[in-house]
Amino acid sequence: AGQLCPSLRAGVLAARMGGLKAGAAAHDTSEDLTQLADVNVASVVEALKARALRGDIYSRCGPLLVAVNPYRLLPIYGDEQLQRYLSSAESTSLPAHVYGVGAVVVQAFRMSHQSQAVIVSGESGAGKTETCKRLLEYLSAASAGGAAISRNMHARVIQTNPMLESLGCARTLRNDNSSRYGKFITIRHDASGGVRAAYLDTYLLEKSRVTRRGDGEHNFHIFYELMYGADPGMRNDLQLTKAPEGGWAYLSDTANRTVATDQANFSELLKGFHAVGLPSKVRNQVFRTLAGILWLGQIRIGAGTNAAGEAHATIPDDEAVRVAAMLLGCDPADLFDGLCIRCIKAGSDWVKSQYTPAQARSVRDGFAQAIYAGVFRRVVEQANASLAADFLADGGGSHGGSLTPTPC
């Protein structure tokens, strides 16, 4: 979907499926919006609305593809549809579809041997994550029919999706699978068009979501998937078998989760870890660290008074400190001091002072956010190492350019 003018973007937003009503009057429903009898905001919105009501969520706008999120599953993806667009000599002769965009990109790349780029943009809940996933599905399939190295790379590229969705997506008020980070994906091809390598650039991870969110919103999917998808033995090792009294401070609305979905997504996450070669030791460290973050949120920080009558932070119950330190691999005393005591270097000396309760809570939450960002970065680095391994091992190989789907 390309960038639209502000007034049209507002109109498309108003016409989302959630607000569509059946029985609307007949309107011009040309697939190419530039061919409408009267091209203005109202007619374009009505055309999109009418097409979406009958299940045609994709429309053309000249060289752009406009997509309306149907907020339900439609039978317009999968192998059969892929083959239609893979085998077609002219994708514009087929109905508007994200696979058609992929076909145009692949054809342009093979003809020009120059890098191609796709921009996927839209408001929150517009369907950017799903669109990018379907585009990658086509680009990978278009290059997977050749050498074994290309087919293997195709599988690895596809398996990065569940990892990034688990670690980087969350439920918001408007979207059950909202990307809370940006990414730039480069797929490198050799001269014959086979996938030789891929690289993920990620940025602007919303790490504050780890510790606080708006009402009705959830933390990153991975926490719930770990809670409901891990086997009993793993949950026991991670001290997650039973929620603490009062619930998990860093989670919200756990009762509203679809447990079966979280369990299935956790299974896909494990497959993704395996596909990119994440060692089992590192995988276990990732899960221990995530559990440690949850236990950091259980550390209750109270107020005490020093000899001068000044308020300072205290931790009246050290159970959460002990468990968090165990999971994070540090000494409980060091964690306690790190949360409650500030160390400042003055000249050659270190001066210690006690945090106020508010400062200590900020330190605790900031620590949790920084750890999560580190986990996310570590998984992305492992994915990149796997996706570039064959390319680098071959001395860089030959390539005609890159195909880059980018949700903004």
Side-chain angles (χ1 to χ4, degrees):
Q3 189 67 33
L4 304 177
C5 66
S7 58
L8 181 53
R9 291 173 62 196
V12 172
L13 176 62
R16 282 188 175 174
M17 289 299 294
L20 298 180
K21 303 296 184 182
H27 293 279
D28 187 347
T29 58
S30 300
E31 183 178 81
D32 190 338
L33 301 176
T34 65
Q35 301 303 310
L36 294 175
D38 186 11
V39 181
N40 55 52
V41 172
S43 65
V44 168
V45 169
E46 287 298 337
L48 291 172
K49 175 180 177 180
R51 288 178 56 77
L53 281 171
R54 69 186 190 199
D56 295 327
I57 64 170
Y58 293 116
S59 303
R60 292 188 176 93
C61 185
L64 306 181
L65 180 73
V66 179
V68 177
N69 190 340
Y71 290 96
R72 69 182 190 275
L73 294 176
L74 295 176
I76 59 174
Y77 307 106
D79 291 341
E80 183 177 344
Q81 287 290 337
L82 267 174
Q83 288 306 316
R84 286 187 67 193
Y85 288 85
L86 288 170
S87 60
S88 175
E90 182 55 64
S91 64
T92 55
S93 65
L94 296 173
H97 199 290
V98 66
Y99 290 162
V101 174
V104 170
V105 171
V106 170
Q107 183 180 32
F109 171 77
R110 288 174 176 168
M111 292 180 64
S112 68
H113 293 285
Q114 294 182 346
S115 297
Q116 307 295 316
V118 179
I119 298 175
V120 183
S121 66
E123 295 84 1
S124 177
K128 299 184 296 297
T129 298
E130 186 68 17
T131 297
C132 190
K133 182 164 63 177
R134 296 300 181 180
L135 183 59
L136 275 175
E137 185 176 77
Y138 181 90
L139 296 179
S140 298
S143 309
I149 185 173
S150 183
R151 293 195 297 272
N152 184 34
M153 185 59 63
H154 158 255
R156 275 185 266 172
V157 169
I158 293 299
Q159 283 297 333
T160 62
N161 280 321
M163 292 192 313
L164 293 177
E165 288 191 13
S166 290
L167 288 157
C169 295
R171 179 183 294 179
T172 65
L173 291 177
R174 297 172 60 183
N175 186 358
D176 284 350
N177 192 39
S178 177
S179 294
R180 312 314 299 170
Y181 69 107
K183 65 182 175 184
F184 189 94
I185 308 173
T186 299
I187 303 176
R188 292 194 176 275
H189 290 63
D190 58 24
S192 65
V195 177
R196 295 304 304 275
Y199 189 82
L200 307 171
D201 269 324
T202 61
Y203 50 92
L204 298 178
L205 176 69
E206 189 191 18
K207 58 186 181 181
S208 61
R209 180 168 289 270
V210 173
T211 59
R212 62 182 182 274
R213 297 150 302 281
D215 291 341
E217 300 208 344
H218 289 198
N219 209 323
F220 290 102
H221 292 324
I222 183 63
F223 290 108
Y224 306 95
E225 293 168 2
L226 182 61
M227 192 79 65
Y228 301 125
D231 61 58
M234 179 184 291
R235 290 201 301 272
N236 184 62
D237 291 342
L238 300 179
Q239 305 293 306
L240 298 178
T241 53
K242 184 179 179 181
E245 184 177 352
W248 297 100
Y250 284 166
L251 300 184
S252 55
D253 294 331
T254 55
N256 295 328
R257 299 292 297 189
T258 304
V259 174
T261 299
D262 285 327
Q263 290 172 339
N265 289 342
F266 187 74
S267 178
E268 290 300 311
L269 171 67
L270 295 179
K271 293 177 183 177
F273 281 167
H274 178 74
V276 301
L278 191 72
S280 58
K281 181 179 179 180
V282 176
R283 182 197 67 185
N284 293 336
Q285 288 174 342
V286 166
F287 292 149
R288 289 182 68 85
T289 302
L290 293 171
I293 290 173
L294 290 179
W295 276 99
L296 277 177
Q298 299 309 115
I299 298 176
R300 307 302 187 204
I301 296 173
T305 306
N306 60 21
E310 299 170 328
H312 65 85
T314 64
I315 301 177
D317 183 0
D318 63 357
E319 174 65 13
V321 174
R322 182 190 63 79
V323 177
M326 181 268 293
L327 292 167
L328 295 174
C330 63
D331 185 272
D334 291 338
L335 179 58
F336 182 96
D337 289 346
L339 295 177
C340 295
I341 298 176
R342 171 193 294 161
C343 294
I344 302 175
K345 192 171 186 180
S348 58
D349 298 324
W350 285 95
V351 178
K352 294 184 176 181
S353 62
Q354 292 178 306
Y355 285 122
T356 65
Q359 290 172 334
R361 295 186 191 102
S362 294
V363 169
R364 176 199 61 196
D365 291 347
F367 186 35
Q369 293 171 21
I371 293 173
Y372 189 81
V375 170
F376 184 81
R377 184 170 56 251
R378 176 67 179 87
V379 171
V380 171
E381 287 173 352
Q382 178 62 41
N384 281 331
S386 171
L387 296 174
D390 297 325
F391 183 74
L392 296 175
D394 195 30
S398 60
H399 63 278
S402 61
L403 303 175
T404 310
T406 310
C408 301

